[in-house]
């Protein structure tokens, strides 16, 4: 898979985030709770370095609850602060401020001891496109100020958004790119809607999704599409869903694109329930900073 803009944009995004880091006390690293590994930028630990950080597992409302709990335990074991949130409904956001205060207690105590006037905590949200950065900023700010959509290349003066008295957010989040060359990462990101459907083949995304559902959530699939059992052959599975849901073309043949689209749409609109695509056991046992996503 070749993405033309990858190297140039990656370097630029990295430079921009590095510049912003100079202005802030803490980083909120937003990941998708359904794919907490694949939705991380592979160089994030290196970029953030030793800045205090909270990993926010966003879209937790769409992820398998039990799996999200395991991810929170995983991060805790690694000594990384993590919270599960739903930026759209505003669930879990109060804890962000509380945890930030705890993490920065010593730094602020030292500043006070040196006679530096107390100020609000300054934070930066970083994450890959579509992970919910603007939604979170808007929620925290309680009004619609952050623009949705990412436009690499457009820079403007930094300004701050007040979140109560204790927190200030940089109004533009740090946009980082996921690791696109890896096929499985790409499929997971496409299935969860983080990358545009045109980048990968729709049927490939649907096949990947269906295989994952057969392995991890077979009952959901049976219930939704009326399977008794699953055939070994993925074409049979497509045929069954296509027939059942009327995804047909002339002559009564199954329209595979339509069927693929239906499965992906139903996954993304949660008709198949809360589905996670990654488990902490998928992590190779390297330090968090050197994790392999292959
Ligand atoms: P970005 O700035 O990181 O690029 O992401 P953005 O906030 O634009 O969010 C991307 C999509 O994810 C939006 O949906 C947004 O509503 C949705 N989203 C963000 N946080 C959550 C969450 O915690 N739970 C759920 N379920 N969805 C979330 P969209 O379809 O692109 O737009 P719209 O439906 O909001 O119009």
């Amino acid at each position: 898979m070749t993405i033309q803009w990858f190297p140039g944009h990656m370097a630029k995004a990295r430079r921009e985030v590095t510049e912003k880091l100079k202005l802030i006390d803490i980083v909120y690293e937003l990941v998708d709770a359904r794919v907490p590994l694949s939705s991380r930028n592979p160089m994030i630990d290196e970029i953030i370095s030793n800045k205090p950080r909270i990993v926010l597992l966003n879209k937790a409302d769409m992820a398998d609850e039990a799996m999200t709990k395991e991810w929170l335990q995983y991060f805790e074991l690694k000594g990384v602060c993590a919270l599960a949130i739903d930026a759209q409904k505003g669930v879990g956001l109060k804890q962000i401020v509380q945890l930030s205060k705890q993490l920065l207690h010593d730094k602020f105590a030292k500043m006070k001891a040196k006679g530096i006037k107390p100020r609000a905590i300054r934070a930066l949200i970083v994450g890959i496109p579509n992970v919910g950065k603007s939604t979170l900023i808007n929620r925290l700010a309680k009004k619609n100020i952050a623009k949705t959509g990412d436009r690499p290349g457009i820079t403007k003066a930094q300004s701050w958004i007040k979140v109560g008295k204790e927190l200030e957010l940089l109004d533009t989040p740090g946009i980082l790119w996921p690791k696109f060359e890896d096929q499985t990462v790409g499929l997971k990101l496409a299935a969860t809607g983080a990358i545009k459907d045109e980048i990968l083949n729709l049927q490939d995304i649907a096949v990947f999704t269906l295989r994952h559902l057969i392995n991890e959530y077979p009952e959901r699939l049976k219930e939704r599409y009326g399977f008794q059992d699953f055939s070994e052959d993925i074409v049979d599975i497509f045929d069954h869903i296509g027939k059942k849901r009327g995804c047909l073309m002339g002559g009564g043949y199954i329209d595979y694109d339509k069927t693929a689209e239906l499965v992906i749409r139903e996954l993304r609109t949660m008709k198949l329930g809360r589905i996670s695509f990654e488990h902490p056991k998928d992590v190779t046992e390297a330090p968090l900073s050197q994790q392999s996503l292959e």
Side-chain angles (χ1 to χ4, degrees):
M1 202 190 321
T2 329
I3 306 293
Q4 280 173 350
W5 43 257
F6 184 77
H9 282 196
M10 186 76 177
K12 189 162 186 294
R14 184 184 176 141
R15 264 199 315 275
E16 283 177 8
V17 171
T18 307
E19 278 305 304
K20 286 176 179 172
L21 286 177
K22 293 179 190 158
L23 308 171
I24 53 111
D25 304 302
I26 189 163
V27 175
Y28 300 146
E29 182 195 349
L30 220 53
V31 298
D32 187 317
R34 297 166 295 174
V35 282
L37 286 180
S38 295
S39 59
R40 298 185 82 211
N41 174 279
M43 295 190 306
I44 188 84
D45 294 332
E46 203 188 303
I47 297 170
I48 293 178
S49 183
N50 49 13
K51 266 282 165 199
R53 157 196 6 190
I54 304 176
V55 173
L56 298 173
L57 301 164
N58 191 35
K59 308 196 186 185
D61 55 309
M62 303 184 86
D64 183 328
E65 247 178 321
M67 206 66 82
T68 303
K69 269 195 190 133
E70 291 197 40
W71 276 110
L72 290 173
Q73 280 163 8
Y74 163 84
F75 282 113
E76 199 183 329
L77 276 171
K78 295 274 170 192
V80 176
C81 289
L83 293 171
I85 64 163
D86 168 354
Q88 210 171 46
K89 295 195 200 73
V91 179
L93 306 196
K94 279 206 181 103
Q95 283 166 277
I96 300 177
V97 182
Q98 281 162 12
L99 195 55
S100 304
K101 278 166 68 180
Q102 276 173 32
L103 281 173
L104 292 164
H105 179 269
D106 289 357
K107 178 178 176 176
F108 277 69
K110 271 184 201 153
M111 281 162 59
K112 198 174 167 191
K114 283 186 193 159
I116 298 169
K117 209 174 137 216
R119 60 164 173 81
I121 291 170
R122 292 178 187 148
L124 169 70
I125 292 174
V126 301
I128 64 167
N130 260 319
V131 76
K133 297 179 296 300
S134 308
T135 308
L136 178 62
I137 292 175
N138 287 337
R139 262 285 162 188
L140 285 170
K142 298 197 176 74
K143 54 187 171 192
N144 277 341
I145 26 181
K147 283 195 190 85
T148 37
D150 301 303
R151 290 181 195 87
I154 296 177
T155 47
K156 55 175 183 169
Q158 307 289 354
S159 57
W160 299 90
I161 295 165
K162 282 196 187 308
V163 183
K165 285 196 180 108
E166 296 169 309
L167 183 72
E168 282 175 8
L169 273 180
L170 261 185
D171 73 335
T172 48
I175 301 156
L176 292 166
W177 307 104
K179 189 171 181 175
F180 267 98
E181 318 100 321
D182 184 271
Q183 181 75 8
T184 317
V185 171
L187 288 166
K188 285 176 186 170
L189 292 174
T192 52
I195 59 175
K196 287 199 175 71
D197 290 338
E198 307 89 72
I199 293 176
L200 287 177
N201 177 289
L202 214 57
Q203 290 184 27
D204 289 346
I205 307 168
V207 168
F208 171 79
T209 300
L210 287 169
R211 287 201 198 286
H212 179 69
L213 293 172
I214 291 167
N215 291 332
E216 305 293 335
Y217 300 94
E219 295 311 316
R220 307 265 187 95
L221 206 53
K222 283 183 181 168
E223 202 179 300
R224 183 81 194 157
Y225 302 117
F227 283 105
Q228 296 297 328
D229 242 315
F230 303 114
S231 154
E232 289 286 302
D233 187 355
I234 197 80
V235 177
D236 289 346
I237 291 175
F238 261 79
D239 284 346
H240 175 95
I241 299 174
K243 224 178 274 168
K244 191 104 189 160
R245 302 297 293 274
C247 301
L248 304 171
M249 43 191 191
Y253 292 107
I254 304 293
D255 185 331
Y256 292 108
D257 275 339
K258 229 181 192 171
T259 311
E261 216 181 306
L262 175 112
V263 170
I264 297 164
R265 190 175 60 242
E266 298 207 333
L267 171 82
R268 290 182 187 160
T269 51
M270 293 177 70
K271 298 282 190 309
L272 291 150
R274 297 167 68 155
I275 306 279
S276 290
F277 283 86
E278 281 172 345
H279 187 275
K281 71 174 165 11
D282 301 331
V283 183
T284 52
E285 272 317 305
L288 196 66
S289 57
Q290 291 160 26
Q291 271 163 28
S292 160
L293 299 181
E294 259 90 34

